[in-house]
Amino acid sequence: MIKCKILFILLFFIITTSCSNSSNNAFEDQSFAMGTIITQQIYGNDSKKVSDEVNTKIHELESIMTINAPGGEIDKLNNSAGDGSWNTLNKETIYVLKKAIKFSDLSEGAFDITIGPLVKKWNISAENPQVPNDSEVKSLINLTNYKDILIDEQNLQARLARKGQIVDLGGIAKGYAADQAISIYKKHGITSAYINLGGNVSVLGGKPDGSPWIVGIQNPRQPIGRYIGTLKIRDKTIVTSGDYERYFIKDNIRYHHILNPKTGYPADSGLISTTIITGLSVDADALSTATFVLGLDKGRKLVEGIEGVEAIFVTTNKEIFITSGLKNIFTFDDESKEFKYVKER
Ligand code: ADP
Ligand code: MG
C-alpha cells in the first residue's frame, strides 16, 4: 500500500534546472496525508512556517472528507444515508459536494461521488484484491446516483436519499486541498510555489527567475519518472487520472481504481490516462476522473465546452491528443518511442 503511494508522488515531478541561484533557493517539504506523499516547494520568507500551515490544513481536510475514519463529515453523511435526517456540515464540505454534483451533471454521471459502495466492493487497494461477483456489482450500480445527494445550502446541511449509499470524495478531495494550499501561499505573500499531492500538481506564479514551471507528464506505460512530454505553466493546476495508478491484473485484464458508474466496472473507454490543466484543482480533479471514464471523444467535447480547461489524452492505441490551448506549452518528448503525438485530428 505505502509502496504504491510512493509511486504517486512521482507521477509528476518538476524538471529542476540546476541554475537556481542561492537567493532563489526553494524550501522543500515532504509529508504524508490523504493517502499520498505531498511535496511542496516554496520560495520566499517563512517558507517552513507556511508549509507547516499547509500540512495542517491538508490533515484537517483529510479528517473531515475521508470515508476511512469515523467522525468526519463525510462519515456522518454516509452513516445517516436513507434515514431522512439532515447533517450539518461545514462550508468546505458543502462546497466540495456542490462541485462534485456540478461535474456529475456536466459529465452526465461519468463522475459520481456516490460510487462509494462500488469502490468498497472492488477494494482495489487491498493486499489481494479480487474481481467481485458480477451480480454483486450489478446490484450496487443502483446505489450510485449523485441526484440522491440532497443539499440545503442555506442551512449548510446535506443528506443521502437512500440507505446504503456512500459518498467517496477520492476523485476530488485532493484537488480541493491543492486549491487551499495555493490560498495559504497567497495569504502569506508568497508569489512562487509548487505543491504535488500524489499527482495533483498546482503552481503559484512562475519560478523566481520569471520562467514558467516545467512539469513532466508521466509515461503511463513506463517506470515512474519517465515521461511523455512536459508542460510549461504558471498559476495553473495539472491533474492526471490513469489506469496505472492503482490496479491489479487478473487473467490479463487490468482492473484499476476508476470505475464507470454505468457498468460498475473499471472504466474501459480506450484511455490509459487523462490530464487536465486549468485554474482550480478541484475542477481539474473531477474532470480528470470524468474524462477518463468518458473516453477521448466525449471527454474532449466536455473539456472543449468549458472555458479555460485544457487536456491531454493518452489512448490505449498509444496515441496522444491535446486540446488546442496547449499547443504552445506542451512539448512532446517520449524517450520510449512508444507513443505517437497526434497533432491534428
Ligand atoms: P487519484 O485520486 O488516484 O489520483 P482520481 O482523481 O481519478 O485518481 O480518483 C480516483 C478515485 O475516485 C477512486 O479511488 C475512487 O475513490 C473515486 N472514484 C472512482 N471512480 C469514480 C467515478 N466514476 N466518479 C467519482 N469518483 C470515482
Ligand atoms: Mg480526480
Side-chain angles (χ1 to χ4, degrees), residues 79-87 159-163:
N79 282 333
S80 71
D83 75 5
S85 68
W86 288 94
N87 301 281
R159 66 185 176 91
L160 292 171
R162 290 181 292 137
K163 200 167 161 32

Side-chain angles (χ1 to χ4, degrees), residues 182-339:
I182 295 293
S183 296
I184 291 171
Y185 299 146
K186 284 184 182 164
K187 185 182 84 183
H188 287 281
I190 305 278
T191 54
S192 177
Y194 160 102
I195 183 163
N196 182 354
L197 291 98
N200 281 59
V201 168
S202 287
V203 302
L204 175 63
K207 301 227 287 199
D209 66 3
S211 63
W213 296 91
I214 301 174
V215 179
I217 308 295
Q218 172 66 34
N219 180 325
R221 288 295 179 262
Q222 286 288 318
I224 300 304
R226 302 271 186 82
Y227 47 95
I228 50 163
T230 55
L231 278 172
K232 290 195 192 81
I233 54 158
R234 288 172 218 272
D235 288 316
K236 286 275 182 303
T237 187
I238 305 181
V239 179
T240 293
S241 288
D243 69 0
Y244 58 98
E245 298 176 30
R246 268 181 278 162
Y247 66 92
F248 66 95
I249 292 180
K250 179 93 196 291
D251 300 330
N252 276 328
I253 301 174
R254 181 187 286 251
Y255 295 97
H256 58 79
H257 71 313
I258 301 171
L259 304 176
N260 181 342
K262 307 267 179 334
T263 65
Y265 280 78
D268 182 19
S269 62
L271 293 176
I272 54 185
S273 77
T274 56
T275 299
I276 301 290
I277 300 92
T278 189
L280 277 181
S281 202
V282 69
D283 295 357
D285 201 354
L287 282 170
S288 70
T289 309
T291 49
F292 188 87
V293 174
L294 288 171
L296 177 63
D297 292 337
K298 287 184 184 165
R300 199 175 166 114
K301 212 170 141 206
L302 170 63
V303 164
E304 279 170 352
I306 312 173
E307 179 79 27
V309 179
E310 303 295 338
I312 301 171
F313 300 94
V314 183
T315 69
T316 45
N317 299 335
K318 307 279 178 79
E319 291 183 322
I320 298 172
F321 297 87
I322 65 166
T323 52
S324 55
L326 296 182
K327 274 185 192 140
N328 298 327
I329 62 169
F330 177 69
T331 306
F332 175 62
D333 181 13
D334 170 28
E335 272 177 21
S336 72
K337 308 265 182 270
E338 223 181 322
F339 291 90

